[in-house]
Amino acid sequence: MRVRYLGWIAVLAVTLPATFPLFAASKSLRPTQPWMDKSLPAEQRANLLLQAMTLDEKITMVHGMDPRPNNEYAGYVPPNPRLSIPALKLADGRAGVGNHATDVTLLPAPIAAAASWDTALMHRYGQVLGNEEWGKGTNVALGPTIDVVRVPEWGRTFETFGEDPYFNAQMAVAEIHGIQSQGPIADANMYLTMNQENNRFKENSIVDPRTLHEIYLPPFEAAVEQGHVGTVMCAYIKTNGVYSCENQYLLKDLLKGRLGFSGWVMSDWGATHSTVASAKNGLDQEMGGGTYYSQALKAAVENGQVSMATLNEHVRRILVTMFRFGLFDKDQSGSWTTDVRTAEHAAFSREAAEQGSALLKNEHGLLPLSNASSIAVIGAAGDLKPKAQGGGSSTVVASYIVTPLQGIRKHAADDTRVSYADGSDLAHAIAVARTVRVAIVFVNTDEGEGRDRPNLELPGNQDQLISAVASANPNTIVVLNTGGPVLMPWIGKIRGLIEAWYPGQEDGNAIAAILYGDVDPSGKLPLTFPRTATEIPTATRQQWPGIDGNSTYSEKSDVGYRWYDANNVRPLFPFGYGLSYTTFKLSQFSVTPKKIDWATNPSNNINAELEVTNVGKRPGAEVVEVYVAQPEKNGELPRQLRAFSKVFLQPGESKHVTLALNKRSFSIYDSTSHAWKFPDGTYKILVGTSSRDLPLQSTVVISSSPVSH
Ligand code: BGC
């Protein structure tokens, strides 16, 4: 009896204010709302709140408001004061807070931070980004972009972590933890097979289930299972004929089913194509506006095409996540106009640019520059138009950009002559290059969302510029400001090459520190640089950009270095490659146990152990990479990256490194049984410092074939 009486009070408490707004107006009259009890679990609070919501209030939660107040953020769901629901404020965040926010820090592009091969650095990258987003009032940070790079020309390559599923997964988890540690909910995007910009609103990726599971899904799987990411953004494109945001297999069966994702799925801006199909197949929230999820969805619920239970499930996922992240309980004082920059963030931006810089060629010990009495900085990106970031929704309003010329001038000795030619006039560039000891040519690509690069060539006259300068001065160094690979017809003519990516606001300071050797270049390529335009995994038109709207993934799992290795094609610079100013020795390699039976010990790991020593004269860092090769009889890919670790060492210092391999490191996805298999046999463990330099090798015997569902 008493229980029933209390129940009635609760119902009145939540329904009266909706019916008679006067009850809501006076806070003192309002009884405590049961879902505001912090001691209750998030699920229970969400269910209590859901019971109190009207249909209109539910509909408001599942789409973005259009237009947004003051045009701030990228997406906005208004607050509901009656029910104490805070607003959702979604802002882009790849290399800093986007959407025209000012007074923010421009970090190097995600591909640059990933090239550090340092998950601790990527975690800090997420922290800086998350901190600035939160300071701006953002509670959902739209990033990271975790798709595997399939097509080297992809216009958003700079936003990603590169071409390897395992590597991307590690970086995704590190960044998501970093972002979410600062308050905002992170957003893993773009789900799934978003691998090109050309025709991106209609493209259909034709991909087999095994490739989907082995190559494209792992970063999202890790983001969900290890990163505990709060939201996932479904992509513009179709996978096997169905748009991502109404794809039952991708959203319901895989993401929410097998991966157990408990957060909410939002559509990319304009990626929703239906009301009923989307609602039934797993799209929780339409962004940026409400073309399909406002009046149309309300009508569909009222006329029974979409059940109230389905709508409730979408709203519940949003609310549970908001409760889980404390959005109902935390005080977020910042707003879109808050200045969120700090000296630490700027210093981090520089450190990340330095750590991601990859030294690809260094002949005659030209680098680091010691006492070059005269230097020429050549190329638009050297000063006139520094190329600090890519384009599109990731764009950040930089407060400043230190140009390479400024950085080098600041760094050079007082008596060093530093001259500049913007490169538009070849004759002038040659004349300037002739008069100096060292010529440094800065070249760039102009990558951005919405369009792929037409080819892998450097645009404009930049190839000619490099060749001309190199003919005029043998001590020519090229600095690449690109988001991905470029062809290098001039590679034999130059002595030094650094991939500095899109380095962010500290561009010039970071490259000067690398050129002069204040910092050891320890970045490694997270994607392969091909030798020719045709020797790439996606060279046919059927593959990219596709024919009649279909991009066929006929290369299957042969993505990135896997293709080069499987087809015995020598790349220009392999995945995982990068030089240093010091020298490292890898020794005392062992693998234990030598034999494993996963049927009886499913959680056992295999440890690869070794000693890494800095045998050179400078402090530096080396990345140890572990690849696993299936038994030859299985006819599988030659080898795949399964572990890595970055080791910082003083001259003469040694460190013992242990890298753990688990069941999944040896797995194959079987699309008949929809399960991971671990076939019996002798597997090779290969360890080294790039995918093509693996001098340490051992074996392990897998002695049973359990099947995991
Ligand atoms: C992009 C997303 C972005 C969204 C909001 C879209 O064009 O694909 O990555 O988050 O815009 O700005």
Side-chain angles (χ1 to χ4, degrees):
M1 187 63 193
R2 193 181 137 80
V3 171
R4 191 181 289 168
Y5 179 65
L6 281 176
W8 271 109
I9 291 186
V11 170
L12 283 178
V14 293
T15 52
L16 267 184
T19 327
F20 305 106
L22 204 63
F23 278 84
S26 160
K27 256 199 163 168
S28 54
L29 274 185
R30 190 198 299 171
T32 313
Q33 295 166 314
W35 55 88
M36 296 306 286
D37 179 352
K38 290 185 205 167
S39 69
L40 299 177
E43 289 74 18
Q44 196 178 339
R45 294 175 74 180
N47 287 337
L48 286 166
L49 172 51
L50 202 52
Q51 284 165 29
M53 293 176 86
T54 64
L55 175 58
D56 282 326
E57 285 169 334
K58 290 176 188 174
I59 293 289
T60 301
M61 290 304 296
V62 295
H63 67 86
M65 187 170 156
D66 190 18
R68 307 179 302 283
N70 308 320
N71 224 8
E72 293 172 348
Y73 305 96
Y76 184 82
V77 176
N80 181 331
R82 179 182 91 81
L83 299 174
S84 313
I85 305 176
L88 279 176
K89 296 179 234 165
L90 298 71
D92 278 298
R94 307 308 188 298
V97 183
N99 315 124
H100 312 288
T102 53
D103 303 330
V104 297
T105 302
L106 171 61
L107 297 168
I111 193 84
S116 71
W117 285 62
D118 183 353
T119 49
L121 182 125
M122 191 50 94
H123 184 256
R124 288 163 62 210
Y125 188 94
Q127 283 177 321
V128 170
L129 181 60
N131 184 273
E132 295 208 354
E133 291 280 15
W134 189 255
K136 284 282 183 192
T138 308
N139 49 23
V140 183
L142 303 173
T145 300
I146 64 178
D147 298 273
V148 165
V149 176
R150 167 181 182 249
V151 176
E153 294 92 342
W154 184 28
R156 295 182 83 166
T157 299
F158 70 92
E159 269 184 50
T160 74
F161 303 140
E163 71 186 22
D164 182 75
Y166 171 81
F167 180 83
N168 285 21
Q170 303 309 302
M171 291 298 165
V173 171
E175 186 174 347
I176 289 164
H177 280 159
I179 293 172
Q180 295 191 160
S181 71
Q182 302 300 305
I185 302 169
D187 176 56
N189 60 80
M190 295 147 302
Y191 184 78
L192 194 63
T193 74
M194 186 69 207
N195 300 117
Q196 66 183 64
E197 293 303 284
N198 289 357
N199 195 31
R200 69 170 173 164
F201 298 119
K202 295 206 175 109
E203 187 258 332
N204 178 28
S205 307
I206 301 180
V207 54
D208 64 277
R210 177 168 176 195
T211 304
L212 199 77
H213 280 80
E214 290 190 1
I215 303 292
Y216 299 104
L217 193 60
F220 290 91
E221 187 179 348
V224 169
E225 293 177 353
Q226 297 163 46
H228 307 293
V229 73
T231 68
V232 169
M233 183 189 289
C234 51
Y236 287 125
I237 44 79
K238 298 176 199 150
T239 300
N240 295 326
V242 185
Y243 275 116
S244 308
C245 297
E246 56 187 52
N247 194 315
Q248 183 194 320
Y249 177 65
L250 291 185
L251 299 181
K252 276 183 122 170
D253 302 353
L254 274 186
L255 184 64
K256 295 179 177 180
R258 286 180 65 175
L259 303 188
F261 176 58
S262 63
W264 87 84
V265 176
M266 72 177 74
S267 72
D268 199 343
W269 275 232
T272 311
H273 292 274
S274 61
T275 299
V276 177
S278 301
K280 287 190 165 168
N281 292 330
L283 175 67
D284 300 306
Q285 188 179 56
E286 179 185 2
M287 277 291 159
T291 311
Y292 296 96
Y293 266 31
S294 53
Q295 286 317 310
L297 182 56
K298 185 181 175 191
V301 172
E302 281 170 338
N303 69 26
Q305 282 178 292
V306 172
S307 71
M308 185 60 88
T310 298
L311 176 63
N312 283 348
E313 171 60 10
H314 296 315
V315 179
R316 200 187 58 76
R317 280 177 170 272
I318 298 168
L319 295 177
V320 167
T321 312
M322 291 175 72
F323 280 117
R324 175 154 79 86
F325 280 81
L327 299 192
F328 283 77
D329 312 321
K330 283 187 205 160
D331 205 11
Q332 192 177 5
S333 53
S335 76
W336 201 236
T337 50
T338 308
D339 185 346
V340 291
R341 294 167 297 176
T342 68
E344 290 76 31
H345 293 177
F348 176 78
S349 183
R350 172 177 171 169
E351 184 189 339
E354 292 166 354
Q355 290 298 318
S357 295
L359 178 64
L360 302 179
K361 183 170 183 179
N362 189 12
E363 279 181 5
H364 304 282
L366 185 56
L367 287 165
L369 300 173
S370 39
N371 43 14
S373 52
S374 52
I375 294 173
V377 172
I378 296 171
D383 192 53
L384 185 66
K385 261 180 106 185
K387 187 62 192 164
Q389 62 175 325
S393 60
S394 67
T395 306
V396 173
V397 180
S399 335
Y400 66 86
I401 292 169
V402 180
T403 74
L405 180 64
Q406 289 165 346
I408 289 167
R409 281 214 165 118
K410 225 191 302 171
H411 206 293
D414 288 346
D415 56 355
T416 304
R417 184 167 53 85
V418 183
S419 22
Y420 179 64
D422 69 22
S424 55
D425 175 352
L426 287 189
H428 177 238
I430 291 169
V432 169
R434 275 218 178 97
T435 65
V436 291
R437 275 273 304 145
V438 178
I440 311 173
V441 191
F442 287 81
V443 290
N444 70 284
T445 50
D446 187 19
E447 294 165 45
E449 188 181 327
R451 64 198 143 84
D452 292 325
R453 287 153 67 195
N455 52 50
L456 294 174
E457 288 164 27
L458 281 169
N461 75 344
Q462 299 184 98
D463 282 336
Q464 293 95 303
L465 177 65
I466 295 171
S467 294
V469 170
S471 309
N473 189 325
N475 289 332
T476 294
I477 296 165
V478 171
V479 176
L480 301 167
N481 288 135
T482 70
V486 288
L487 299 176
M488 305 185 201
W490 32 260
I491 187 69
K493 298 186 190 156
I494 61 159
R495 289 201 169 149
L497 178 67
I498 297 169
E499 173 55 273
W501 315 102
Y502 296 152
Q505 65 186 30
E506 289 284 320
D507 183 356
N509 287 334
I511 196 64
I514 293 287
L515 288 166
Y516 280 93
D518 301 358
V519 176
D520 183 46
S522 60
K524 303 249 182 185
L525 298 177
L527 23 73
T528 309
F529 278 46
R531 199 168 281 278
T532 69
T534 48
E535 289 172 313
I536 59 168
T538 48
T540 70
R541 281 204 56 220
Q542 276 98 332
Q543 293 170 292
W544 176 81
I547 293 178
D548 297 334
N550 294 318
S551 300
T552 309
Y553 287 40
S554 51
E555 73 286 351
K556 297 182 182 273
S557 311
D558 288 3
V559 173
Y561 68 89
R562 290 165 167 76
W563 181 85
Y564 292 84
D565 292 345
N567 293 285
N568 258 320
V569 176
R570 202 159 58 93
L572 181 58
F573 295 112
F575 174 80
Y577 175 80
L579 302 168
S580 158
Y581 292 152
T582 186
T583 314
F584 300 94
K585 195 177 108 202
L586 311 187
S587 61
Q588 296 173 40
F589 176 51
S590 71
V591 170
T592 46
K594 298 297 294 169
K595 189 170 177 178
I596 198 153
D597 175 356
W598 270 312
T600 40
N601 292 309
S603 57
N604 275 10
N605 281 343
I606 291 165
N607 285 333
E609 291 179 65
L610 71 154
E611 204 74 15
V612 188
T613 310
N614 181 350
V615 293
K617 293 196 173 64
R618 293 167 167 274
E622 181 57 291
V623 177
V624 180
E625 306 171 26
V626 182
Y627 294 77
V628 172
Q630 290 268 337
E632 252 171 53
K633 65 172 165 50
N634 292 355
E636 291 297 323
L637 288 164
R639 54 189 167 270
Q640 306 193 64
L641 181 75
R642 297 302 191 205
F644 63 90
S645 176
K646 187 161 182 172
V647 194
F648 293 84
L649 294 165
Q650 292 301 318
E653 193 188 0
S654 284
K655 272 188 191 156
H656 186 81
V657 184
T658 304
L659 298 118
L661 300 168
N662 59 22
K663 253 168 99 177
R664 189 60 185 275
S665 317
F666 298 84
S667 58
I668 291 177
Y669 185 78
D670 179 33
S671 30
T672 316
S673 60
H674 305 294
W676 293 99
K677 288 198 313 194
F678 318 94
D680 280 4
T682 303
Y683 288 68
K684 268 199 208 132
I685 315 289
L686 306 102
V687 175
T689 56
S690 96
S691 63
R692 289 270 167 137
D693 182 13
L694 300 165
L696 306 181
Q697 306 201 355
S698 186
T699 55
V700 61
V701 176
I702 309 287
S703 65
S704 66
S705 321
V707 171
S708 119
H709 287 273

